[in-house]
Amino acid sequence: MGTTTTNYNEIKKMEIERAIDVIDSIAKSPDPYLRYKTGRPITDIKEMFESSVKKYGDNIAFMQKFRKGEPYTKITYKEALSDVNALGTALIKKGLKGKRISIIGETNYQWESTYLSIIGGAGIVVPLDKELPKEDLKYLIQDAEVSCIFFGKKFENIFKEMKASGDTPLEFLVNMDSEEETDGVLSWKGLITEGKKLVEEGDRSFIDAEIIADDMAVILYTSGTTGFAKGVMLSNRNLCENLMAAPTILNVNPWDIFFSVLPVHHTYECTCAFLMPLYKGACIAYMEGLKYITKNLEEVSPTMLLGVPVLIETLYKKIWKGVREKGKENTLRKLLAINHRTRKLGLDISRPFTKDILKVFGGRMRVIISGGAAIDPDILQFFNDIGITAVQGYGLTECSPMAALNPDVEKDMRNESVGHVLPGMEVKVIDKDENGIGEICFKGPNVMMGYYNNKEATDEVLIDGWFHTGDLGYVDSEDFVYITGRKKNVIITDNGKNVFPEELEYELSKIPYISESMVWGSEDEDSSNNRSIAATVTIEEEEVKEALGEGYSPEDVEKLIWQEIDKINERLPLYKRIRKLIIRDREFEKTTGKKIKRFVEDNRNE
């Protein structure tokens, strides 16, 4: 790093003053949507966690089942810090100080405590996607110059072969699930034991590690539905600015329990459901797996859930299916319509009827946050009407990730919006069309440093400090952001009109017989000599069977879906209407983030 003690002290003083200025500006802000001004200044993740331990030391930080069938183990903030310090000390002792260290595997305590150890003074953390094929993993390890990798047990053979090949910089392999070192593979548990002994003997190499907030701390590989992975470089400051800003709009309490269901290599889960609860003194409880979700919710009784739309939509559909099976659908719909009005007067009349629904979530769920893609506003409203605050936010890896978030006070929520711009950020819309829709750009201290070893890609999206998101939309007078689609996905008709496929896919998502859809521009011309709009869909078999009965034909399904599409088309201008329907009998090809790959030719076919 090349800093003297005097220089370092001066840098830290500047960082502390800068963080205090952030908290002061929030405190003085007249913005009515910044309701919660209880944050504290933080300069880096190490300091954030250590200050949380001082403030909330005996609180439960993590809950995990380390073996199937066992009850949840509870780990306090103090206990977690002891593990983090030990692991960080052991890594430095192995000669890994300042090197790139990867983590891959299930979201759990081992993964997250390892992250805290790396970012807290051992090296630079490189989270990897556990869904990637081994060829891609090898490329990323080479690209990021990774010296050590922590992994779940199922990856052991892959990385042993990779290290043995000599084609990567890998020096150390660490199995997060094994009890002890075997065949040259270190164990997470063994490193902690080794580190605790070193700390007891007076080794303070990690505990006293110097952290410069503006230095690169994380390389996060991201790829959309097209193109190669790009390594997003984030600093400690990027992450801390997000942590100080986001909970001003949506409150997080020390007694909250976050139920962790998403892969933590994604920055949405990493910042918002891992680092955020630790900043606010809350607890993180890990799901054992999707098939145990109901059982785990009952055992943990969490208060907060971060999910992607597909997960939240699945929960929504299951609830309504259960209500229908009991013959109470009409009753519930009428009750919620009345309750929507009475709740504004502070009277919730739904509780006696919805207590069984709330019990499914463990009985204490208070907030559901949707991110990662667009969600039907009606689904968010449903959860609000049954007494669970449900909002959506907007984030990008390049923004650490949060850029906008909806308030948790119902009268201020805008379900159609992805949220209010976070404090400290600026937003602008460029290249607007006749409807005022253009590309959304952000500027602020949480915007990435750039793409690792990729100046060309960095220069394309970071222009004069502004990050060009590639998302199209508009911003209202109160800084609420609305997304209409992706710039690269827009279908331009022959008469120059723009069609946003996401807008039509949202409409198709409301058809109960459609599971997933992808809208695209077909080269076939419609009756108006325009490029025609096509939709490839997969069907929701249970709903189709309920509508058509057993033994239906493909022609019956097509007719059923066209009846619903015709209703949508009636509301649309001619150039937006869907003219071609393809019913697909298999899954779409997707990214590891479960997004449909738009420009893969096969995704347009049956």
Side-chain angles (χ1 to χ4, degrees):
M1 202 174 289
T3 59
T4 65
T5 302
T6 306
N7 284 344
Y8 180 69
N9 289 337
E10 288 171 359
I11 291 166
K12 290 315 286 183
K13 185 184 175 190
M14 179 274 292
E15 290 175 3
I16 291 162
E17 288 171 353
R18 187 170 64 188
I20 290 169
D21 286 345
V22 170
I23 296 299
D24 284 349
S25 68
I26 287 169
K28 293 170 184 170
S29 173
D31 187 334
Y33 298 105
L34 308 189
R35 277 197 172 78
Y36 311 106
K37 300 181 177 183
T38 58
R40 66 186 190 277
I42 50 171
T43 59
D44 56 77
I45 299 305
K46 182 185 186 75
E47 188 258 333
M48 178 277 287
F49 188 49
E50 288 175 347
S51 61
S52 284
V53 174
K54 284 178 186 169
K55 195 172 171 68
Y56 310 109
D58 294 322
N59 282 19
I60 305 301
F62 302 95
M63 291 174 67
Q64 178 164 316
K65 291 193 177 191
F66 287 92
R67 288 185 182 85
K68 289 276 182 274
E70 286 188 354
Y72 272 92
T73 298
K74 295 177 180 179
I75 301 160
T76 67
Y77 275 76
K78 283 178 184 172
E79 289 166 337
L81 179 62
S82 175
D83 286 348
V84 167
N85 285 345
L87 184 54
T89 305
L91 291 174
I92 291 173
K93 187 71 173 177
K94 298 284 183 197
L96 287 163
K97 175 72 175 173
K99 295 193 175 181
R100 282 72 186 284
I101 305 172
S102 275
I103 326 173
I104 187 169
E106 301 298 327
T107 302
N108 57 26
Y109 175 64
Q110 297 94 304
W111 199 109
E112 295 188 351
S113 58
T114 300
Y115 179 101
L116 291 171
S117 297
I118 301 166
I119 202 171
I124 292 163
V125 63
V126 185
L128 294 176
D129 183 346
K130 63 185 172 63
E131 302 298 329
L132 287 173
K134 61 183 178 183
E135 296 78 15
D136 289 8
L137 291 172
K138 186 174 184 178
Y139 167 75
L140 297 182
I141 282 168
Q142 290 169 330
D143 187 62
E145 302 164 88
V146 171
S147 299
C148 172
I149 183 157
F150 285 75
F151 49 79
K153 61 185 173 187
K154 72 176 185 180
F155 293 96
E156 182 165 322
N157 289 335
I158 290 172
F159 292 114
K160 278 170 80 171
E161 285 174 21
M162 206 179 286
K163 182 173 179 282
S165 73
D167 294 337
T168 69
L170 283 175
E171 299 172 54
F172 296 98
L173 307 181
V174 187
N175 188 324
M176 293 187 288
D177 298 325
S178 64
E179 294 293 316
E180 56 190 28
E181 181 178 344
T182 51
D183 197 19
V185 177
L186 303 171
S187 80
W188 174 85
K189 208 172 247 184
L191 284 174
I192 286 180
T193 302
E194 182 186 326
K196 283 185 177 175
K197 189 165 182 282
L198 289 165
V199 171
E200 283 169 15
E201 291 168 355
D203 187 332
R204 295 187 61 86
S205 57
F206 177 81
I207 293 168
D208 296 335
E210 297 182 349
I211 309 290
I212 305 291
D214 291 310
D215 284 352
M216 178 174 69
V218 185
I219 303 175
L220 263 171
Y221 282 94
T222 178
S223 60
T225 51
T226 59
F228 294 102
K230 296 187 286 286
V232 175
M233 298 185 290
L234 298 179
S235 66
N236 270 281
R237 184 191 179 192
N238 290 151
L239 296 168
C240 288
E241 292 278 352
N242 235 200
L243 295 178
M244 290 186 284
T248 61
I249 294 175
L250 187 146
N251 195 30
V252 179
N253 306 287
W255 47 262
D256 275 317
I257 299 175
F258 282 67
F259 190 61
S260 182
V261 298
L262 298 177
V264 69
H265 73 273
H266 283 303
T267 188
Y268 170 46
E269 174 76 7
C270 190
T271 298
C272 304
F274 160 35
L275 299 177
M276 182 64 72
L278 294 184
Y279 172 53
K280 300 298 285 183
C283 174
I284 303 154
Y286 302 105
M287 175 185 69
E288 290 179 272
L290 277 172
K291 65 178 178 179
Y292 300 104
I293 189 168
T294 306
K295 179 172 177 280
N296 291 163
L297 283 165
E298 189 181 320
E299 292 170 307
V300 169
S301 293
T303 59
M304 298 191 80
L305 172 70
L306 271 74
V308 289
V310 67
L311 172 67
I312 296 164
E313 286 161 7
T314 301
L315 292 169
Y316 171 81
K317 285 175 182 175
K318 278 185 179 174
I319 290 167
W320 277 111
K321 187 183 176 192
V323 170
R324 276 200 301 273
E325 285 171 356
K326 291 178 181 174
K328 296 183 176 180
E329 183 177 5
N330 289 337
T331 308
L332 182 58
R333 288 194 188 280
K334 286 174 186 172
L335 181 71
L336 293 182
I338 297 167
N339 197 47
H340 182 57
R341 294 194 292 273
T342 61
R343 273 170 59 83
K344 291 176 181 175
L345 304 172
L347 179 63
D348 187 344
I349 62 168
S350 74
R351 285 286 167 160
F353 197 93
T354 58
K355 67 178 187 297
D356 288 341
I357 296 173
L358 298 174
K359 208 181 285 179
V360 170
F361 292 92
R364 295 202 316 143
M365 187 66 68
R366 71 176 192 89
V367 176
I368 293 175
I369 303 172
S370 177
I375 188 168
D376 183 346
D378 291 341
I379 293 176
L380 296 176
Q381 190 56 55
F382 166 77
F383 283 109
N384 279 290
D385 287 341
I386 66 169
I388 298 174
T389 298
V391 300
Q392 65 174 323
Y394 175 60
L396 307 106
T397 305
E398 292 88 346
C399 290
S400 306
M402 294 300 294
L405 182 62
N406 260 285
D408 58 7
V409 175
E410 192 168 1
K411 69 182 179 68
D412 292 336
M413 289 175 199
R414 302 188 188 176
N415 291 340
E416 296 79 13
S417 165
V418 294
H420 180 72
V421 175
L422 294 189
M425 292 200 80
E426 297 174 66
V427 63
K428 68 178 180 180
V429 180
I430 62 167
D431 303 329
K432 295 180 185 179
D433 65 12
E434 68 272 17
N435 299 312
I437 291 169
E439 184 177 8
I440 294 168
C441 305
F442 290 104
K443 193 177 193 178
N446 56 316
V447 171
M448 68 169 180
M449 302 167 71
Y451 295 119
Y452 182 67
N453 280 345
N454 198 336
K455 187 176 184 302
E456 187 182 345
T458 301
D459 291 344
E460 276 179 30
V461 298
L462 274 181
I463 302 167
D464 297 327
W466 286 92
F467 172 59
H468 293 236
T469 65
D471 284 327
L472 298 172
Y474 60 97
V475 180
D476 71 16
S477 60
E478 293 184 284
D479 278 347
F480 279 81
V481 180
Y482 297 79
I483 305 292
T484 54
R486 286 289 289 166
K487 189 176 176 182
K488 66 186 179 188
N489 299 343
V490 171
I491 301 163
I492 302 172
T493 63
D494 291 349
N495 60 2
K497 296 284 189 182
N498 289 347
V499 177
F500 304 111
E502 295 90 346
E503 182 184 352
L504 295 174
E505 287 158 3
Y506 164 67
E507 294 290 344
L508 292 172
S509 73
K510 292 189 168 188
I511 298 175
Y513 315 117
I514 291 177
S515 174
E516 292 185 298
S517 67
M518 186 185 83
V519 171
W520 47 284
S522 170
E523 295 305 319
D524 302 334
E525 291 185 342
D526 64 16
S527 55
S528 314
N529 294 323
N530 275 325
R531 190 179 184 199
S532 63
I533 305 299
T536 304
V537 307
T538 57
I539 65 164
E540 194 73 63
E541 288 188 21
E542 278 191 31
E543 296 284 351
V544 170
K545 200 178 287 182
E546 202 172 303
L548 296 175
E550 299 283 351
Y552 55 81
S553 68
E555 291 75 22
D556 295 333
V557 179
E558 188 171 351
K559 184 179 176 185
L560 179 70
I561 292 175
W562 264 121
Q563 285 171 354
E564 299 301 319
I565 289 176
D566 285 341
K567 292 175 192 173
I568 294 169
N569 280 342
E570 282 173 17
R571 305 195 303 268
L572 297 173
L574 286 171
Y575 70 91
K576 281 189 184 179
R577 291 182 181 178
I578 297 166
R579 306 288 184 181
K580 186 175 179 180
L581 172 66
I582 295 159
I583 298 174
R584 187 177 170 87
D585 59 4
R586 57 210 158 92
E587 282 276 309
F588 285 103
E589 189 178 327
K590 296 175 182 174
T591 66
T592 59
K594 306 304 178 192
K595 291 181 180 176
I596 295 170
K597 292 184 175 180
R598 287 191 178 275
F599 303 106
V600 170
E601 186 62 34
D602 183 60
N603 275 343
R604 300 180 175 190
N605 302 328
E606 291 179 7

